[in-house]
Amino acid sequence: MKIQMVDLRSQYEKIKDEIDAAIQSVIDSSTFIKGPKVAEFELALANYLKVNHVVACGNGTDALQIALMALGLERGDEVIIPTFTYVATAEVIALLGLKPVLIDVNPITFCIDVNQIEAKITSNTKAIIPVHLFGQSADMESILSIAHRNNLYVIEDNAQAIGACYTFSDGRVMFTGTMGDIGTTSFFPSKNLGCFGDGGALITNNQILAEKIRMICNHGQKVQYYHECVGVNSRLDTIQAAILLAKLPHLNEYNIARQQAATYYNELLKDRIEIVCPISDPKSTHVFHQYTIKLNGKLGSNRNQLKEYLKENGIPTMVYYPLPIHLQEAYQGWYSQADSFSVANELSSQVLSLPMHTQLSEEQQKFIINCITEYNRKL
Ligand SMILES: *Cc1c(COP(=O)(O)O)cnc(C)c1O
């Protein structure tokens, strides 16, 4: 049985004709940069997300950096982020000379712990970047109200949750990435909506911000060779846009396939006290970018050995993330001794992400869980 962490090949095979034709049409037109498919994809994604503006860019990390630049953040301004996240969220803050303020995560959702945010706000705080980790929304209602009370911008890092929806207490339902001032996302191949290389986008309802973002993505110019502000060169290739246009109509079915695989994992793992399945927040749909379990007791202290055992049996797994930001060598000195980050520390030593993709079969899932059971029995 050949099990992959992410099966991009089989996903491609299912819509090969559409994708191949899309790529060929770009080659035929030779408009590799800024071709019409880019604007077409931006519009299609904006319609899907029910938002006014989508601006495509080079990748999800650039999207975060451009968002901070578009909001006019300056050296020394403070930005609040969760410490349990992919490095990109932290990296862009460091690159722009801003000051990151790290917050621990909620033990249930693994997203930023909203109860710890307000104590960290100072007169220099300018923005909060919640990360919709592993495919479900952070507690946006609380985050938006904290931001409102304290006059802060909100940038949603939506690289892992495109297509997820959040329900507010008044019944409004919104897509992740569309609730804050700016949302960012990534089309890295393994993301829920992935292209065949690098890609990313910024999402906003604010027209002035959208224009600023578009200008920054394109060297700070609206009119060619007239540079109004310092920008970057960050764009989505036309070939990638064409691929994404072909894949976007399948996003819902891809997310449903992930949800079905997650439901089956939950079923196989029920009544297992040593394993905590991902817990879905009733306020958010979960699109399972990752299916991440938390291992308790003996299994938890043998996480790395379990990972090795599964690998010997042909089962790839990943640890997202083995170190929270505050323990990364590059980011030392970003927190004070008073911070404990106990949840993030525990998660980084006890989480394990199981194979999760749109082509996973029940046989494969049974085999994976049986192998974990076998290993646990030997402990
Ligand atoms: C993937 C990812 C990014 C960065 O996206 P790239 O396209 O790889 O630059 C940023 N934040 C999170 C949470 C991610 O998972």
Side-chain angles (χ1 to χ4, degrees):
M1 197 174 315
K2 176 110 184 71
I3 300 180
Q4 289 172 282
M5 193 67 196
V6 176
D7 188 352
L8 298 174
R9 178 82 207 184
S10 319
Q11 192 190 54
Y12 161 67
E13 295 291 350
K14 286 188 126 180
I15 54 165
K16 183 176 185 309
D17 294 346
E18 290 165 63
I19 300 265
D20 290 359
I23 294 173
Q24 190 60 50
S25 79
V26 178
I27 297 172
D28 290 343
S29 75
S30 297
T31 52
F32 298 109
I33 301 290
K34 292 190 178 299
K37 295 279 183 202
V38 178
E40 218 181 297
F41 170 66
E42 289 177 338
L43 192 62
L45 184 59
N47 287 338
Y48 173 89
L49 293 172
K50 299 183 170 66
V51 75
N52 292 340
H53 307 277
V54 166
V55 181
C57 70
N59 57 68
T61 309
D62 279 0
L64 285 163
Q65 179 178 337
I66 293 160
L68 291 166
M69 291 169 76
L71 293 170
L73 269 65
E74 286 173 356
R75 216 154 255 285
D77 286 347
E78 294 175 10
V79 181
I80 290 174
I81 59 168
T83 188
F84 192 63
T85 181
Y86 181 55
V87 71
T89 322
E91 196 170 49
V92 294
I93 296 173
L95 284 170
L96 292 172
L98 308 172
K99 190 170 172 237
V101 177
L102 302 174
I103 305 271
D104 205 358
V105 290
N106 176 301
I108 307 286
T109 64
F110 307 168
C111 291
I112 193 166
D113 183 348
V114 295
N115 296 319
Q116 298 190 36
I117 295 176
E118 274 189 301
K120 292 293 185 74
I121 294 174
T122 72
S123 56
N124 294 322
T125 311
K126 293 289 156 60
I128 309 175
I129 310 183
V131 179
H132 303 311
L133 202 72
F134 299 155
Q136 84 181 322
S137 181
D139 178 355
M140 286 306 291
E141 184 145 10
S142 303
I143 291 164
L144 290 171
S145 92
I146 292 167
H148 187 72
R149 273 201 300 280
N150 295 280
N151 204 18
L152 307 177
Y153 294 117
V154 175
I155 300 170
E156 298 173 68
D157 183 345
N158 195 32
Q160 300 190 0
I162 195 153
C165 287
Y166 180 84
T167 305
F168 289 86
S169 51
D170 64 4
R172 273 179 309 136
V173 179
M174 291 176 89
F175 279 104
T176 52
T178 70
M179 296 173 272
D181 296 280
I182 301 176
T184 64
T185 197
S186 164
F187 306 119
F188 186 82
S190 63
K191 300 282 156 101
N192 289 34
L193 178 62
C195 59
F196 290 4
D198 277 309
L202 296 102
I203 300 156
T204 185
N205 275 308
N206 180 321
Q207 186 177 345
I208 295 167
L209 275 178
E211 281 170 19
K212 190 94 194 278
I213 288 164
R214 208 172 275 289
M215 184 164 75
I216 293 170
C217 287
N218 187 25
H219 298 290
Q221 64 190 345
K222 280 186 196 145
V223 179
Q224 202 174 16
Y225 306 127
Y226 292 83
H227 305 277
E228 292 177 40
C229 66
V230 176
V232 296
N233 174 19
S234 186
R235 51 202 171 200
L236 184 69
D237 294 345
T238 315
I239 286 186
Q240 302 305 342
I243 292 165
L244 289 165
L245 260 175
K247 288 185 77 177
L248 181 58
H250 300 280
L251 177 59
N252 285 349
E253 109 209 6
Y254 291 161
N255 282 342
I256 289 167
R258 287 171 179 274
Q259 286 163 345
Q260 283 168 346
T263 304
Y264 194 58
Y265 270 137
N266 288 345
E267 174 70 29
L268 293 171
L269 286 170
K270 71 170 195 281
D271 312 323
R272 300 283 292 265
I273 49 164
E274 72 283 13
I275 296 171
V276 183
C277 298
I279 298 167
S280 297
D281 181 340
K283 284 185 281 185
S284 174
T285 52
H286 199 321
V287 293
F288 292 98
H289 175 58
Q290 299 299 340
Y291 185 89
T292 303
I293 57 176
K294 186 170 162 249
L295 308 167
N296 284 334
K298 258 192 179 165
L299 203 51
S301 38
N302 286 279
R303 192 259 325 257
N304 295 348
Q305 292 86 327
L306 167 65
K307 187 176 191 314
E308 217 26 61
Y309 177 81
L310 293 172
K311 190 173 158 200
E312 282 159 19
N313 285 279
I315 301 169
T317 58
M318 294 291 275
V319 173
Y320 300 115
Y321 298 94
L323 286 180
I325 301 296
H326 67 272
L327 296 180
Q328 298 287 355
E329 193 179 336
Y331 299 101
Q332 291 304 300
W334 276 27
Y335 69 105
S336 78
Q337 291 307 318
D339 291 315
S340 74
F341 302 123
S342 57
V343 178
N345 288 341
E346 187 176 281
L347 290 178
S348 58
S349 71
Q350 294 179 2
V351 287
L352 189 67
S353 297
L354 304 183
M356 170 53 77
H357 53 80
T358 58
Q359 315 297 324
L360 209 54
S361 73
E362 293 196 347
E363 265 80 274
Q364 291 176 325
Q365 293 187 269
K366 261 188 233 158
F367 178 70
I368 294 164
I369 301 305
N370 285 343
C371 274
I372 296 177
T373 308
E374 232 167 75
Y375 179 81
N376 194 37
R377 216 175 278 137
K378 289 184 199 162
L379 280 180

